[in-house]
Each structure stands twice: as C-alpha cells, then as structure tokens.
PDB file of all heavy atoms in Angstrom:
ATOM      1  N   GLY A   1       2.150  -8.412  -1.957  1.00 95.00           N
ATOM      2  CA  GLY A   1       3.614  -8.243  -1.728  1.00 95.00           C
ATOM      3  C   GLY A   1       4.233  -9.596  -1.384  1.00 95.00           C
ATOM      4  O   GLY A   1       3.564 -10.591  -1.288  1.00 95.00           O
ATOM      5  N   MET A   2       5.494  -9.500  -1.094  1.00 95.00           N
ATOM      6  CA  MET A   2       6.254 -10.736  -0.848  1.00 95.00           C
ATOM      7  C   MET A   2       6.907 -10.582   0.601  1.00 95.00           C
ATOM      8  O   MET A   2       7.438  -9.536   1.016  1.00 95.00           O
ATOM      9  CB  MET A   2       7.416 -10.914  -1.815  1.00 95.00           C
ATOM     10  CG  MET A   2       8.116 -12.193  -1.680  1.00 95.00           C
ATOM     11  SD  MET A   2       9.253 -12.473  -3.092  1.00 95.00           S
ATOM     12  CE  MET A   2       8.087 -12.853  -4.387  1.00 95.00           C
ATOM     13  N   GLY A   3       6.731 -11.700   1.368  1.00 95.00           N
ATOM     14  CA  GLY A   3       7.274 -11.707   2.742  1.00 95.00           C
ATOM     15  C   GLY A   3       8.756 -11.602   2.807  1.00 95.00           C
ATOM     16  O   GLY A   3       9.511 -12.144   2.015  1.00 95.00           O
ATOM     17  N   ILE A   4       9.232 -10.802   3.781  1.00 94.00           N
ATOM     18  CA  ILE A   4      10.684 -10.585   3.967  1.00 94.00           C
ATOM     19  C   ILE A   4      11.329 -11.858   4.484  1.00 94.00           C
ATOM     20  O   ILE A   4      12.385 -12.267   4.033  1.00 94.00           O
ATOM     21  CB  ILE A   4      10.911  -9.443   4.985  1.00 94.00           C
ATOM     22  CG1 ILE A   4      10.534  -8.112   4.353  1.00 94.00           C
ATOM     23  CG2 ILE A   4      12.375  -9.420   5.488  1.00 94.00           C
ATOM     24  CD1 ILE A   4      10.685  -6.926   5.294  1.00 94.00           C
ATOM     25  N   GLU A   5      10.649 -12.570   5.367  1.00 90.00           N
ATOM     26  CA  GLU A   5      11.220 -13.748   6.035  1.00 90.00           C
ATOM     27  C   GLU A   5      11.022 -15.053   5.266  1.00 90.00           C
ATOM     28  O   GLU A   5      11.842 -15.944   5.394  1.00 90.00           O
ATOM     29  CB  GLU A   5      10.605 -13.861   7.501  1.00 90.00           C
ATOM     30  CG  GLU A   5      10.946 -12.688   8.353  1.00 90.00           C
ATOM     31  CD  GLU A   5      10.360 -12.892   9.754  1.00 90.00           C
ATOM     32  OE1 GLU A   5       9.541 -13.770   9.945  1.00 90.00           O
ATOM     33  OE2 GLU A   5      10.608 -11.980  10.583  1.00 90.00           O
ATOM     34  N   ASP A   6       9.856 -15.148   4.561  1.00 91.00           N
ATOM     35  CA  ASP A   6       9.590 -16.484   3.878  1.00 91.00           C
ATOM     36  C   ASP A   6       9.374 -16.349   2.466  1.00 91.00           C
ATOM     37  O   ASP A   6       9.163 -17.402   1.762  1.00 91.00           O
ATOM     38  CB  ASP A   6       8.299 -17.062   4.532  1.00 91.00           C
ATOM     39  CG  ASP A   6       7.097 -16.146   4.400  1.00 91.00           C
ATOM     40  OD1 ASP A   6       7.185 -15.048   3.741  1.00 91.00           O
ATOM     41  OD2 ASP A   6       6.016 -16.462   5.008  1.00 91.00           O
ATOM     42  N   ASP A   7       9.505 -15.175   1.811  1.00 91.00           N
ATOM     43  CA  ASP A   7       9.330 -15.031   0.321  1.00 91.00           C
ATOM     44  C   ASP A   7       7.966 -15.533  -0.139  1.00 91.00           C
ATOM     45  O   ASP A   7       7.762 -15.819  -1.350  1.00 91.00           O
ATOM     46  CB  ASP A   7      10.438 -15.739  -0.455  1.00 91.00           C
ATOM     47  CG  ASP A   7      11.797 -15.053  -0.310  1.00 91.00           C
ATOM     48  OD1 ASP A   7      11.796 -13.787  -0.105  1.00 91.00           O
ATOM     49  OD2 ASP A   7      12.854 -15.756  -0.432  1.00 91.00           O
ATOM     50  N   HIS A   8       7.025 -15.652   0.739  1.00 94.00           N
ATOM     51  CA  HIS A   8       5.673 -16.029   0.391  1.00 94.00           C
ATOM     52  C   HIS A   8       4.926 -14.809  -0.076  1.00 94.00           C
ATOM     53  O   HIS A   8       5.134 -13.688   0.310  1.00 94.00           O
ATOM     54  CB  HIS A   8       4.961 -16.729   1.547  1.00 94.00           C
ATOM     55  CG  HIS A   8       3.783 -17.485   1.257  1.00 94.00           C
ATOM     56  ND1 HIS A   8       2.548 -16.948   0.876  1.00 94.00           N
ATOM     57  CD2 HIS A   8       3.633 -18.859   1.200  1.00 94.00           C
ATOM     58  CE1 HIS A   8       1.713 -17.962   0.639  1.00 94.00           C
ATOM     59  NE2 HIS A   8       2.256 -19.140   0.797  1.00 94.00           N
ATOM     60  N   ASP A   9       3.853 -15.079  -0.947  1.00 96.00           N
ATOM     61  CA  ASP A   9       2.952 -13.956  -1.274  1.00 96.00           C
ATOM     62  C   ASP A   9       2.032 -13.602  -0.173  1.00 96.00           C
ATOM     63  O   ASP A   9       1.618 -14.472   0.596  1.00 96.00           O
ATOM     64  CB  ASP A   9       2.077 -14.361  -2.564  1.00 96.00           C
ATOM     65  CG  ASP A   9       2.962 -14.594  -3.757  1.00 96.00           C
ATOM     66  OD1 ASP A   9       4.155 -14.373  -3.725  1.00 96.00           O
ATOM     67  OD2 ASP A   9       2.379 -15.061  -4.762  1.00 96.00           O
ATOM     68  N   TYR A  10       1.748 -12.292  -0.059  1.00 96.00           N
ATOM     69  CA  TYR A  10       0.839 -11.802   0.972  1.00 96.00           C
ATOM     70  C   TYR A  10      -0.181 -10.845   0.340  1.00 96.00           C
ATOM     71  O   TYR A  10       0.218  -9.973  -0.455  1.00 96.00           O
ATOM     72  CB  TYR A  10       1.557 -11.096   2.107  1.00 96.00           C
ATOM     73  CG  TYR A  10       2.310 -12.067   3.079  1.00 96.00           C
ATOM     74  CD1 TYR A  10       3.494 -12.629   2.775  1.00 96.00           C
ATOM     75  CD2 TYR A  10       1.754 -12.347   4.329  1.00 96.00           C
ATOM     76  CE1 TYR A  10       4.119 -13.466   3.644  1.00 96.00           C
ATOM     77  CE2 TYR A  10       2.309 -13.185   5.180  1.00 96.00           C
ATOM     78  CZ  TYR A  10       3.499 -13.785   4.861  1.00 96.00           C
ATOM     79  OH  TYR A  10       4.073 -14.645   5.760  1.00 96.00           O
ATOM     80  N   ASN A  11      -1.404 -10.853   0.831  1.00 95.00           N
ATOM     81  CA  ASN A  11      -2.404  -9.888   0.478  1.00 95.00           C
ATOM     82  C   ASN A  11      -2.146  -8.661   1.352  1.00 95.00           C
ATOM     83  O   ASN A  11      -1.893  -8.836   2.607  1.00 95.00           O
ATOM     84  CB  ASN A  11      -3.785 -10.507   0.736  1.00 95.00           C
ATOM     85  CG  ASN A  11      -4.871  -9.665   0.071  1.00 95.00           C
ATOM     86  OD1 ASN A  11      -4.696  -8.796  -0.762  1.00 95.00           O
ATOM     87  ND2 ASN A  11      -6.097  -9.873   0.443  1.00 95.00           N
ATOM     88  N   ILE A  12      -2.211  -7.487   0.763  1.00 94.00           N
ATOM     89  CA  ILE A  12      -2.072  -6.289   1.536  1.00 94.00           C
ATOM     90  C   ILE A  12      -3.343  -5.439   1.426  1.00 94.00           C
ATOM     91  O   ILE A  12      -3.964  -5.376   0.386  1.00 94.00           O
ATOM     92  CB  ILE A  12      -0.890  -5.402   0.939  1.00 94.00           C
ATOM     93  CG1 ILE A  12       0.409  -6.261   0.786  1.00 94.00           C
ATOM     94  CG2 ILE A  12      -0.598  -4.219   1.816  1.00 94.00           C
ATOM     95  CD1 ILE A  12       1.507  -5.563   0.008  1.00 94.00           C
ATOM     96  N   ASN A  13      -3.746  -4.813   2.523  1.00 90.00           N
ATOM     97  CA  ASN A  13      -4.820  -3.831   2.457  1.00 90.00           C
ATOM     98  C   ASN A  13      -4.439  -2.741   1.485  1.00 90.00           C
ATOM     99  O   ASN A  13      -3.395  -2.167   1.590  1.00 90.00           O
ATOM    100  CB  ASN A  13      -5.030  -3.292   3.864  1.00 90.00           C
ATOM    101  CG  ASN A  13      -6.117  -2.236   3.963  1.00 90.00           C
ATOM    102  OD1 ASN A  13      -5.860  -1.086   3.635  1.00 90.00           O
ATOM    103  ND2 ASN A  13      -7.325  -2.579   4.295  1.00 90.00           N
ATOM    104  N   ALA A  14      -5.394  -2.437   0.528  1.00 91.00           N
ATOM    105  CA  ALA A  14      -5.087  -1.543  -0.529  1.00 91.00           C
ATOM    106  C   ALA A  14      -4.816  -0.135   0.015  1.00 91.00           C
ATOM    107  O   ALA A  14      -3.958   0.642  -0.614  1.00 91.00           O
ATOM    108  CB  ALA A  14      -6.206  -1.526  -1.598  1.00 91.00           C
ATOM    109  N   ASP A  15      -5.444   0.293   1.066  1.00 89.00           N
ATOM    110  CA  ASP A  15      -5.201   1.646   1.663  1.00 89.00           C
ATOM    111  C   ASP A  15      -3.726   1.668   2.190  1.00 89.00           C
ATOM    112  O   ASP A  15      -3.040   2.665   1.974  1.00 89.00           O
ATOM    113  CB  ASP A  15      -6.185   1.893   2.807  1.00 89.00           C
ATOM    114  CG  ASP A  15      -7.546   2.206   2.357  1.00 89.00           C
ATOM    115  OD1 ASP A  15      -7.776   2.257   1.123  1.00 89.00           O
ATOM    116  OD2 ASP A  15      -8.400   2.458   3.206  1.00 89.00           O
ATOM    117  N   ASP A  16      -3.306   0.588   2.827  1.00 91.00           N
ATOM    118  CA  ASP A  16      -1.994   0.549   3.383  1.00 91.00           C
ATOM    119  C   ASP A  16      -0.936   0.640   2.204  1.00 91.00           C
ATOM    120  O   ASP A  16       0.110   1.286   2.268  1.00 91.00           O
ATOM    121  CB  ASP A  16      -1.662  -0.791   4.147  1.00 91.00           C
ATOM    122  CG  ASP A  16      -2.529  -0.807   5.414  1.00 91.00           C
ATOM    123  OD1 ASP A  16      -3.102   0.276   5.843  1.00 91.00           O
ATOM    124  OD2 ASP A  16      -2.600  -1.880   6.039  1.00 91.00           O
ATOM    125  N   CYS A  17      -1.258  -0.126   1.142  1.00 93.00           N
ATOM    126  CA  CYS A  17      -0.409  -0.178  -0.041  1.00 93.00           C
ATOM    127  C   CYS A  17      -0.254   1.220  -0.693  1.00 93.00           C
ATOM    128  O   CYS A  17       0.812   1.685  -0.924  1.00 93.00           O
ATOM    129  CB  CYS A  17      -1.009  -1.126  -0.984  1.00 93.00           C
ATOM    130  SG  CYS A  17      -0.067  -1.305  -2.584  1.00 93.00           S
ATOM    131  N   ALA A  18      -1.401   1.932  -0.807  1.00 94.00           N
ATOM    132  CA  ALA A  18      -1.373   3.299  -1.387  1.00 94.00           C
ATOM    133  C   ALA A  18      -0.541   4.223  -0.553  1.00 94.00           C
ATOM    134  O   ALA A  18       0.199   5.052  -1.069  1.00 94.00           O
ATOM    135  CB  ALA A  18      -2.781   3.798  -1.567  1.00 94.00           C
ATOM    136  N   CYS A  19      -0.753   4.184   0.788  1.00 92.00           N
ATOM    137  CA  CYS A  19       0.013   5.029   1.644  1.00 92.00           C
ATOM    138  C   CYS A  19       1.497   4.752   1.605  1.00 92.00           C
ATOM    139  O   CYS A  19       2.330   5.756   1.595  1.00 92.00           O
ATOM    140  CB  CYS A  19      -0.471   4.886   3.153  1.00 92.00           C
ATOM    141  SG  CYS A  19      -2.100   5.607   3.444  1.00 92.00           S
ATOM    142  N   ALA A  20       1.926   3.490   1.540  1.00 93.00           N
ATOM    143  CA  ALA A  20       3.297   3.188   1.462  1.00 93.00           C
ATOM    144  C   ALA A  20       3.936   3.705   0.206  1.00 93.00           C
ATOM    145  O   ALA A  20       5.095   4.244   0.213  1.00 93.00           O
ATOM    146  CB  ALA A  20       3.486   1.622   1.567  1.00 93.00           C
ATOM    147  N   ILE A  21       3.232   3.562  -0.925  1.00 94.00           N
ATOM    148  CA  ILE A  21       3.735   4.073  -2.232  1.00 94.00           C
ATOM    149  C   ILE A  21       3.760   5.553  -2.190  1.00 94.00           C
ATOM    150  O   ILE A  21       4.784   6.180  -2.690  1.00 94.00           O
ATOM    151  CB  ILE A  21       2.883   3.550  -3.336  1.00 94.00           C
ATOM    152  CG1 ILE A  21       3.198   1.960  -3.426  1.00 94.00           C
ATOM    153  CG2 ILE A  21       3.316   4.161  -4.644  1.00 94.00           C
ATOM    154  CD1 ILE A  21       2.262   1.300  -4.452  1.00 94.00           C
ATOM    155  N   ALA A  22       2.770   6.250  -1.721  1.00 94.00           N
ATOM    156  CA  ALA A  22       2.703   7.696  -1.682  1.00 94.00           C
ATOM    157  C   ALA A  22       3.873   8.239  -0.806  1.00 94.00           C
ATOM    158  O   ALA A  22       4.510   9.239  -1.243  1.00 94.00           O
ATOM    159  CB  ALA A  22       1.421   8.177  -1.112  1.00 94.00           C
ATOM    160  N   THR A  23       4.138   7.568   0.317  1.00 92.00           N
ATOM    161  CA  THR A  23       5.228   7.970   1.174  1.00 92.00           C
ATOM    162  C   THR A  23       6.541   7.756   0.463  1.00 92.00           C
ATOM    163  O   THR A  23       7.413   8.730   0.500  1.00 92.00           O
ATOM    164  CB  THR A  23       5.240   7.200   2.483  1.00 92.00           C
ATOM    165  OG1 THR A  23       3.934   7.442   3.127  1.00 92.00           O
ATOM    166  CG2 THR A  23       6.374   7.534   3.330  1.00 92.00           C
ATOM    167  N   SER A  24       6.752   6.685  -0.215  1.00 93.00           N
ATOM    168  CA  SER A  24       8.027   6.389  -0.868  1.00 93.00           C
ATOM    169  C   SER A  24       8.310   7.423  -1.981  1.00 93.00           C
ATOM    170  O   SER A  24       9.434   7.750  -2.168  1.00 93.00           O
ATOM    171  CB  SER A  24       7.943   4.944  -1.477  1.00 93.00           C
ATOM    172  OG  SER A  24       9.113   4.724  -2.189  1.00 93.00           O
ATOM    173  N   LEU A  25       7.253   7.859  -2.655  1.00 93.00           N
ATOM    174  CA  LEU A  25       7.418   8.788  -3.761  1.00 93.00           C
ATOM    175  C   LEU A  25       7.306  10.286  -3.372  1.00 93.00           C
ATOM    176  O   LEU A  25       7.460  11.134  -4.189  1.00 93.00           O
ATOM    177  CB  LEU A  25       6.338   8.486  -4.850  1.00 93.00           C
ATOM    178  CG  LEU A  25       6.391   7.226  -5.600  1.00 93.00           C
ATOM    179  CD1 LEU A  25       5.142   6.948  -6.441  1.00 93.00           C
ATOM    180  CD2 LEU A  25       7.674   7.132  -6.456  1.00 93.00           C
ATOM    181  N   HIS A  26       6.976  10.506  -2.036  1.00 91.00           N
ATOM    182  CA  HIS A  26       6.820  11.863  -1.528  1.00 91.00           C
ATOM    183  C   HIS A  26       5.731  12.577  -2.450  1.00 91.00           C
ATOM    184  O   HIS A  26       5.988  13.628  -2.936  1.00 91.00           O
ATOM    185  CB  HIS A  26       8.077  12.699  -1.508  1.00 91.00           C
ATOM    186  CG  HIS A  26       9.104  12.125  -0.641  1.00 91.00           C
ATOM    187  ND1 HIS A  26       8.997  12.115   0.744  1.00 91.00           N
ATOM    188  CD2 HIS A  26      10.228  11.411  -0.898  1.00 91.00           C
ATOM    189  CE1 HIS A  26      10.017  11.543   1.278  1.00 91.00           C
ATOM    190  NE2 HIS A  26      10.853  11.115   0.333  1.00 91.00           N
ATOM    191  N   ALA A  27       4.600  11.916  -2.624  1.00 91.00           N
ATOM    192  CA  ALA A  27       3.626  12.343  -3.529  1.00 91.00           C
ATOM    193  C   ALA A  27       3.022  13.668  -3.071  1.00 91.00           C
ATOM    194  O   ALA A  27       2.868  13.953  -1.913  1.00 91.00           O
ATOM    195  CB  ALA A  27       2.433  11.296  -3.651  1.00 91.00           C
ATOM    196  N   GLU A  28       2.638  14.508  -4.042  1.00 89.00           N
ATOM    197  CA  GLU A  28       1.940  15.748  -3.805  1.00 89.00           C
ATOM    198  C   GLU A  28       0.475  15.544  -3.305  1.00 89.00           C
ATOM    199  O   GLU A  28       0.035  16.218  -2.414  1.00 89.00           O
ATOM    200  CB  GLU A  28       1.889  16.611  -5.070  1.00 89.00           C
ATOM    201  CG  GLU A  28       1.222  17.966  -4.862  1.00 89.00           C
ATOM    202  CD  GLU A  28       1.995  18.896  -4.003  1.00 89.00           C
ATOM    203  OE1 GLU A  28       3.269  18.737  -3.880  1.00 89.00           O
ATOM    204  OE2 GLU A  28       1.465  19.790  -3.494  1.00 89.00           O
ATOM    205  N   LYS A  29      -0.152  14.474  -3.860  1.00 89.00           N
ATOM    206  CA  LYS A  29      -1.518  14.205  -3.440  1.00 89.00           C
ATOM    207  C   LYS A  29      -1.684  12.672  -3.333  1.00 89.00           C
ATOM    208  O   LYS A  29      -1.133  11.877  -4.165  1.00 89.00           O
ATOM    209  CB  LYS A  29      -2.499  14.634  -4.461  1.00 89.00           C
ATOM    210  CG  LYS A  29      -2.722  16.227  -4.579  1.00 89.00           C
ATOM    211  CD  LYS A  29      -3.669  16.537  -5.763  1.00 89.00           C
ATOM    212  CE  LYS A  29      -3.985  18.001  -5.900  1.00 89.00           C
ATOM    213  NZ  LYS A  29      -4.910  18.482  -4.830  1.00 89.00           N
ATOM    214  N   LEU A  30      -2.481  12.255  -2.342  1.00 93.00           N
ATOM    215  CA  LEU A  30      -2.948  10.882  -2.153  1.00 93.00           C
ATOM    216  C   LEU A  30      -4.451  10.959  -2.123  1.00 93.00           C
ATOM    217  O   LEU A  30      -5.025  11.613  -1.265  1.00 93.00           O
ATOM    218  CB  LEU A  30      -2.340  10.234  -0.929  1.00 93.00           C
ATOM    219  CG  LEU A  30      -2.949   8.925  -0.502  1.00 93.00           C
ATOM    220  CD1 LEU A  30      -2.797   7.866  -1.547  1.00 93.00           C
ATOM    221  CD2 LEU A  30      -2.351   8.473   0.853  1.00 93.00           C
ATOM    222  N   VAL A  31      -5.063  10.220  -3.012  1.00 91.00           N
ATOM    223  CA  VAL A  31      -6.541  10.346  -3.081  1.00 91.00           C
ATOM    224  C   VAL A  31      -7.202   8.946  -2.881  1.00 91.00           C
ATOM    225  O   VAL A  31      -6.769   8.001  -3.526  1.00 91.00           O
ATOM    226  CB  VAL A  31      -7.007  10.808  -4.541  1.00 91.00           C
ATOM    227  CG1 VAL A  31      -8.539  10.995  -4.597  1.00 91.00           C
ATOM    228  CG2 VAL A  31      -6.259  12.091  -4.880  1.00 91.00           C
ATOM    229  N   PHE A  32      -8.130   8.975  -1.958  1.00 91.00           N
ATOM    230  CA  PHE A  32      -8.897   7.687  -1.674  1.00 91.00           C
ATOM    231  C   PHE A  32     -10.315   7.852  -2.365  1.00 91.00           C
ATOM    232  O   PHE A  32     -11.083   8.734  -1.977  1.00 91.00           O
ATOM    233  CB  PHE A  32      -9.051   7.408  -0.218  1.00 91.00           C
ATOM    234  CG  PHE A  32      -7.799   7.131   0.519  1.00 91.00           C
ATOM    235  CD1 PHE A  32      -7.054   8.111   1.154  1.00 91.00           C
ATOM    236  CD2 PHE A  32      -7.360   5.823   0.513  1.00 91.00           C
ATOM    237  CE1 PHE A  32      -5.909   7.816   1.829  1.00 91.00           C
ATOM    238  CE2 PHE A  32      -6.159   5.507   1.217  1.00 91.00           C
ATOM    239  CZ  PHE A  32      -5.408   6.485   1.818  1.00 91.00           C
ATOM    240  N   LEU A  33     -10.618   6.933  -3.272  1.00 88.00           N
ATOM    241  CA  LEU A  33     -11.961   6.863  -3.834  1.00 88.00           C
ATOM    242  C   LEU A  33     -12.706   5.849  -2.950  1.00 88.00           C
ATOM    243  O   LEU A  33     -12.381   4.698  -2.961  1.00 88.00           O
ATOM    244  CB  LEU A  33     -11.957   6.464  -5.272  1.00 88.00           C
ATOM    245  CG  LEU A  33     -11.196   7.417  -6.272  1.00 88.00           C
ATOM    246  CD1 LEU A  33     -11.432   6.906  -7.687  1.00 88.00           C
ATOM    247  CD2 LEU A  33     -11.695   8.812  -6.130  1.00 88.00           C
ATOM    248  N   THR A  34     -13.798   6.332  -2.330  1.00 83.00           N
ATOM    249  CA  THR A  34     -14.478   5.492  -1.349  1.00 83.00           C
ATOM    250  C   THR A  34     -16.039   5.468  -1.688  1.00 83.00           C
ATOM    251  O   THR A  34     -16.429   5.984  -2.712  1.00 83.00           O
ATOM    252  CB  THR A  34     -14.244   6.021   0.084  1.00 83.00           C
ATOM    253  OG1 THR A  34     -15.005   7.292   0.201  1.00 83.00           O
ATOM    254  CG2 THR A  34     -12.816   6.261   0.380  1.00 83.00           C
ATOM    255  N   ASP A  35     -16.752   4.856  -0.784  1.00 82.00           N
ATOM    256  CA  ASP A  35     -18.233   4.835  -0.928  1.00 82.00           C
ATOM    257  C   ASP A  35     -18.845   5.824   0.044  1.00 82.00           C
ATOM    258  O   ASP A  35     -20.075   5.678   0.363  1.00 82.00           O
ATOM    259  CB  ASP A  35     -18.762   3.426  -0.638  1.00 82.00           C
ATOM    260  CG  ASP A  35     -18.464   2.459  -1.748  1.00 82.00           C
ATOM    261  OD1 ASP A  35     -18.103   2.961  -2.867  1.00 82.00           O
ATOM    262  OD2 ASP A  35     -18.616   1.246  -1.606  1.00 82.00           O
ATOM    263  N   ILE A  36     -18.147   6.770   0.492  1.00 80.00           N
ATOM    264  CA  ILE A  36     -18.685   7.830   1.367  1.00 80.00           C
ATOM    265  C   ILE A  36     -18.250   9.186   0.812  1.00 80.00           C
ATOM    266  O   ILE A  36     -17.319   9.295   0.041  1.00 80.00           O
ATOM    267  CB  ILE A  36     -18.346   7.713   2.855  1.00 80.00           C
ATOM    268  CG1 ILE A  36     -16.764   7.702   2.979  1.00 80.00           C
ATOM    269  CG2 ILE A  36     -18.838   6.435   3.442  1.00 80.00           C
ATOM    270  CD1 ILE A  36     -16.317   7.682   4.390  1.00 80.00           C
TER     271      ILE A  36
END
C-alpha cells in the first residue's frame, strides 16, 4: 500500500489486507488458506 502521510510504499500483512478488502466489499465469505 501507499502511506497517507508520506506517499511511500509499505508492506502490509496479507491477512490485514484481505480483511480490509472483504470489509470494503461487504463480502459474503472471507477464506484464509493456511498451514493448519
């Protein structure tokens, strides 16, 4: 993603990213593929 204050690139935790997008879209399902 891009920083609000400095326009710099930032690495985002992929779980956080998925949750933010699912919330924005009001998704019916959010699925995490994990190693457990």
Side-chain angles (χ1 to χ4, degrees):
M2 187 172 289
I4 290 177
E5 297 179 354
D6 57 7
D7 289 332
H8 198 286
D9 293 356
Y10 282 80
N11 194 14
I12 309 170
N13 177 277
D15 286 359
D16 294 348
C17 179
C19 286
I21 291 171
T23 298
S24 178
L25 294 170
H26 299 289
E28 181 69 23
K29 288 175 178 281
L30 168 59
V31 184
F32 291 95
L33 299 186
T34 69
D35 284 347
I36 56 174

